[in-house]
Every structure is written in structure tokens, then in C-alpha cells.
């Protein structure tokens, strides 16, 4: 009965990146530029892979999916962050907040599994090259991508279900620029210690499992590369280096945000910005600059224009 008499929160208020209005206006142009570059870069990679038949291979099919996920991931929080830089009153509806939580974990969880899938693809290509075409056929690739999206969706729904029915009756200020599930949970009008452990365990198990599988895959790949000829090894190592850099860029912020025991507000905000704005921009840049096939496809496209 007591909960029924409590006022239900219909919206939350973001404190944003910082309190200084001048600094917020100063950040408007760089953040807008970075977001546009991330969107254009990722969509360009997707379109390039679709239109160039030389890139119709499992590795590039998976890369196109990674770029699409990065485009989606950056679009969940960044547009709201940019528009809020112009506002004094940074609010988001309860439904909008829950949607952000769902989408961040959906695309984030999906990307974790997709990175493992890409590592598996490289493992098969380098460690079992004679069987590559039979193991990584078109149907297998589609199923691996479907599994990535499905695990991301299950992970996101498990997070959302745990927080959706919590009673929010008073505090509604979130010291961030998006609905971070751990910060939203602290606003509930009940003790959420057990729930926080469950939510962190959910994210932690997925992140740790994916990270261990990635370590196993790339360790096997690097050991195999050492045994091969210099020419083949150089090309394989170059490809794997791009993958490893992307993995580190993705998992670095995730480990700090969700698994680090001490929470420091400005560090969390910086890592959240890095995760949602910088990483989606760097991924297409890394693959484009380090990949000979992508560079050749761009040259051909420019020559036909």
C-alpha cells in the first residue's frame, strides 16, 4: 500500500558531462563532427562491402556487421548528448531511459559476441586454411551473425527485466549524459544491492567469457603465425593486429566501467564518451587504413566516379 501512494517518476534529469555552460558549448562542434564522421565512416564500410564483389567473403561480411553495430551503438546515446549540450534542462522520459538501457546492452552485447566470431573466422583462416571455405561457408556466417544478435538481445532483455519493475518515486537526477543502468538503479526506492550484483554478474559473465575466448583465439593465431613463412605471416599478422586493436578499444572501457571496483564519476564519463563516440569512429578507420583489400576497393570506387 505504501508503494501505491508514492509518486511515480515519469522522467529523469541528466547532469550531463560537466556543469560549465561555456565548456558544453565548446564541446558541441567536436562531438558533432566526431559523430558525423562515425556515422559516415561505418555506413561507408557497409556500403563498400555490399557493392564490391571482391569483398564478398566471410571476413568482410562480419566486418560489415561490426560497422553496422558501431553505427547503431553510437546513435543510441550520442545524438542526445549533442542536443543536451545546448540545453539547461536535460531530461529524458522513463520510456526513453529504458529504451537507452535496452539498446546499449543489445548492441554492446551483440558486438562482444561478434568480435569473438571475427576472431574465430581469423583462427580458421590462419590455423586451418585448407578447410576454411568449407567451415566458413555463407550459411555458417549468417548463423554466426544471427547468434551474435540473439545473444545481445537476450543479454539486453535480462538487464531490462531486472530494472523495469523497480519503484522510482523520488530522486531522478542521473550524474551522466545517458541512462547508465547502475546509476538508474541507485534511484530506486528500495534496496538494490542484490539486484546490482545480479546485473553486474550478467554483464561480467558475458564480457569475461568473450574476452577469454578472444584471448584463446588470438594466442593460437599468433603461435601459428610464428611457424609459417615470413610473407604469409606478415599479412596474417597485419590483419590480426587490426582485430586485436579493435578488441582492446572495445573491451578496455567495458572492463573499467562494469568490472572496476572503484567508481570515479569523471573517469566513468570519459570512458562512456570514448565507448559511445570515439570507438565507433576508430573501428572503420583502423580497418580502412590497415587493410589492403579495403584500400583497393576505395581506389576503384574513386576511379569510377
Amino acid at each position: 500500500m505504501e508503494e501505491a501512494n508514492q509518486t511515480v517518476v515519469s522522467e529523469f534529469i541528466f547532469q550531463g558531462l560537466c556543469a560549465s555552460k561555456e565548456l558544453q558549448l565548446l564541446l558541441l562542434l567536436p562531438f558533432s563532427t566526431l559523430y558525423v564522421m562515425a556515422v559516415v565512416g561505418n555506413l561507408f564500410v557497409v556500403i563498400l562491402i555490399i557493392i564490391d564483389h571482391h569483398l564478398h567473403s566471410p571476413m568482410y561480411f562480419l566486418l560489415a556487421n561490426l560497422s553496422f553495430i558501431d553505427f547503431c551503438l553510437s546513435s543510441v546515446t550520442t545524438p542526445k548528448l549533442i542536443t543536451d549540450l545546448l540545453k539547461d534542462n536535460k531530461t529524458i522520459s522513463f520510456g526513453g531511459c529504458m529504451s537507452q538501457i535496452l539498446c546499449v546492452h543489445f548492441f554492446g552485447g551483440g558486438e562482444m559476441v561478434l568480435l569473438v566470431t571475427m576472431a574465430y573466422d581469423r583462427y580458421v583462416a590462419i590455423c586451418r586454411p585448407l578447410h576454411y571455405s568449407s567451415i566458413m561457408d555463407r550459411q555458417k556466417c549468417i548463423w554466426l551473425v544471427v547468434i551474435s544478435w540473439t545473444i545481445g538481445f537476450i543479454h539486453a532483455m535480462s538487464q531490462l527485466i531486472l530494472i523495469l519493475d523497480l519503484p522510482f518515486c523520488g530522486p531522478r537526477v542521473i550524474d551522466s549524459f545517458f541512462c547508465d543502468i547502475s546509476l538508474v538503479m541507485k534511484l530506486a526506492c528500495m534496496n538494490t544491492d542484490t539486484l546490482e550484483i545480479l546485473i553486474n554478474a550478467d554483464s561480467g559473465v558475458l564480457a569475461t567469457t568473450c574476452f577469454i575466448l578472444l584471448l584463446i583465439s588470438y594466442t593460437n593465431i599468433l603461435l601459428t603465425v610464428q611457424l609459417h613463412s615470413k610473407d604469409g605471416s606478415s599479412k596474417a599478422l597485419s590483419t590480426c593486429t587490426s582485430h586485436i586493436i579493435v578488441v582492446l578499444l572495445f573491451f578496455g572501457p567495458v572492463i573499467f566501467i562494469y568490472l572496476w571496483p572503484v567508481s570515479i564519476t569523471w573517469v566513468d564519463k570519459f570512458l562512456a564518451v570514448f565507448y559511445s563516440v570515439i570507438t565507433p569512429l576508430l573501428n572503420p578507420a583502423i580497418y580502412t587504413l590497415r587493410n589492403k583489400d579495403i584500400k583497393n576497393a576505395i581506389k576503384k570506387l574513386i576511379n569510377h566516379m
Side-chain angles (χ1 to χ4, degrees), residues 3 162 166-167 185-197:
E3 285 187 11
L162 289 172
L166 287 178
M185 197 165 47
K186 286 181 170 65
L187 302 179
C189 303
M190 62 175 284
N191 187 291
T192 58
D193 290 346
T194 304
L195 203 59
E196 191 171 352
I197 292 169

Side-chain angles (χ1 to χ4, degrees), residues 18-29:
C18 58
S20 169
K21 185 67 178 175
E22 291 77 15
L23 183 55
Q24 289 184 54
L25 291 172
L26 195 64
L27 291 171
L28 181 63
L29 182 59

Side-chain angles (χ1 to χ4, degrees), residues 155-176:
H155 167 64
M157 287 304 296
S158 67
Q159 298 276 296
L160 189 65
I161 288 167
L162 289 172
I163 198 172
L164 198 57
D165 289 330
L166 287 178
F168 295 97
C169 55
R172 57 196 185 111
V173 177
I174 300 172
D175 190 7
S176 184

Side-chain angles (χ1 to χ4, degrees), residues 58-59 61-63 65-66 69 109-125 132 135-137 140-149 151 209-210 213-214 217-218 221 243 247 251 287:
M59 184 177 80
F61 175 70
L62 297 174
L63 175 57
N65 276 275
L66 177 68
I69 288 182
E111 182 158 343
M112 282 186 199
V113 184
L114 187 63
L115 287 171
V116 174
T117 300
M118 293 175 76
Y120 173 71
D121 171 70
R122 290 301 83 205
Y123 166 77
V124 175
Y132 180 71
I135 294 173
M136 292 300 292
D137 57 24
K140 172 73 77 63
C141 286
I142 292 170
W143 272 110
L144 287 171
V145 169
V146 169
I147 289 168
S148 299
W149 285 95
I151 291 175
T209 302
C210 289
L213 290 172
L214 286 164
S217 295
Y218 286 118
I221 288 168
H243 284 263
V247 166
F251 277 91
Y287 283 112

Side-chain angles (χ1 to χ4, degrees), residues 8-297:
V8 177
V9 171
S10 60
E11 65 178 17
F12 295 100
I13 300 169
F14 292 141
Q15 287 193 339
L17 284 175
C18 58
S20 169
K21 185 67 178 175
E22 291 77 15
L23 183 55
Q24 289 184 54
L25 291 172
L26 195 64
L27 291 171
L28 181 63
L29 182 59
F31 277 13
S32 300
T33 305
L34 289 171
Y35 175 63
V36 170
M37 288 172 66
V39 169
V40 172
N42 282 295
L43 291 181
F44 176 73
V45 170
V46 173
I47 293 167
L48 187 68
I49 291 171
I50 290 171
I51 63 175
D52 193 315
H53 69 276
H54 292 104
L55 301 178
H56 290 181
S57 66
M59 184 177 80
Y60 295 112
F61 175 70
L62 297 174
L63 175 57
N65 276 275
L66 177 68
S67 291
F68 182 70
I69 288 182
D70 277 332
F71 158 69
C72 295
L73 194 57
S74 65
S75 298
V76 173
T77 57
T78 312
K80 173 72 174 162
L81 163 64
I82 292 167
T83 55
D84 279 350
L85 291 172
L86 296 169
K87 298 177 184 176
D88 292 324
N89 190 26
K90 304 171 176 58
T91 61
I92 187 170
S93 67
F94 181 84
C97 186
M98 294 302 113
S99 296
Q100 271 197 350
I101 290 171
L102 176 70
C103 291
V104 165
H105 287 273
F106 175 38
F107 296 123
E111 182 158 343
M112 282 186 199
V113 184
L114 187 63
L115 287 171
V116 174
T117 300
M118 293 175 76
Y120 173 71
D121 171 70
R122 290 301 83 205
Y123 166 77
V124 175
I126 294 167
C127 300
R128 302 184 64 187
L130 298 177
H131 303 282
Y132 180 71
S133 58
S134 60
I135 294 173
M136 292 300 292
D137 57 24
R138 185 177 181 82
Q139 190 175 10
K140 172 73 77 63
C141 286
I142 292 170
W143 272 110
L144 287 171
V145 169
V146 169
I147 289 168
S148 299
W149 285 95
T150 303
I151 291 175
F153 181 73
I154 292 169
H155 167 64
M157 287 304 296
S158 67
Q159 298 276 296
L160 189 65
I161 288 167
L162 289 172
I163 198 172
L164 198 57
D165 289 330
L166 287 178
F168 295 97
C169 55
R172 57 196 185 111
V173 177
I174 300 172
D175 190 7
S176 184
F177 61 89
F178 75 107
C179 283
D180 185 326
I181 192 167
S182 60
L183 296 179
V184 174
M185 197 165 47
K186 286 181 170 65
L187 302 179
C189 303
M190 62 175 284
N191 187 291
T192 58
D193 290 346
T194 304
L195 203 59
E196 191 171 352
I197 292 169
L198 283 172
I199 284 175
N200 285 336
D202 186 351
S203 294
V205 166
L206 179 63
T208 305
T209 302
C210 289
F211 195 64
I212 289 170
L213 290 172
L214 286 164
L215 284 177
I216 293 170
S217 295
Y218 286 118
T219 299
N220 277 305
I221 288 168
L222 293 173
L223 289 174
T224 303
V225 164
Q226 282 189 325
L227 303 174
H228 283 63
S229 64
K230 289 185 179 180
D231 293 337
S233 297
S234 177
K235 185 178 179 182
L237 192 60
S238 176
T239 304
C240 285
T241 302
S242 298
H243 284 263
I244 291 167
I245 291 169
V246 168
V247 166
L248 292 174
L249 285 172
F250 184 84
F251 277 91
V254 170
I255 290 168
F256 271 91
I257 291 169
Y258 291 105
L259 304 180
W260 200 251
V262 180
S263 179
I264 305 170
T265 303
W266 72 266
V267 174
D268 289 346
K269 287 183 180 180
F270 170 77
L271 291 173
V273 168
F274 187 85
Y275 181 71
S276 58
V277 182
I278 309 298
T279 302
L281 170 64
L282 291 177
N283 285 356
I286 290 166
Y287 283 112
T288 302
L289 295 173
R290 295 187 60 86
N291 189 289
K292 187 179 178 181
D293 293 334
I294 294 280
K295 285 191 281 190
N296 288 338

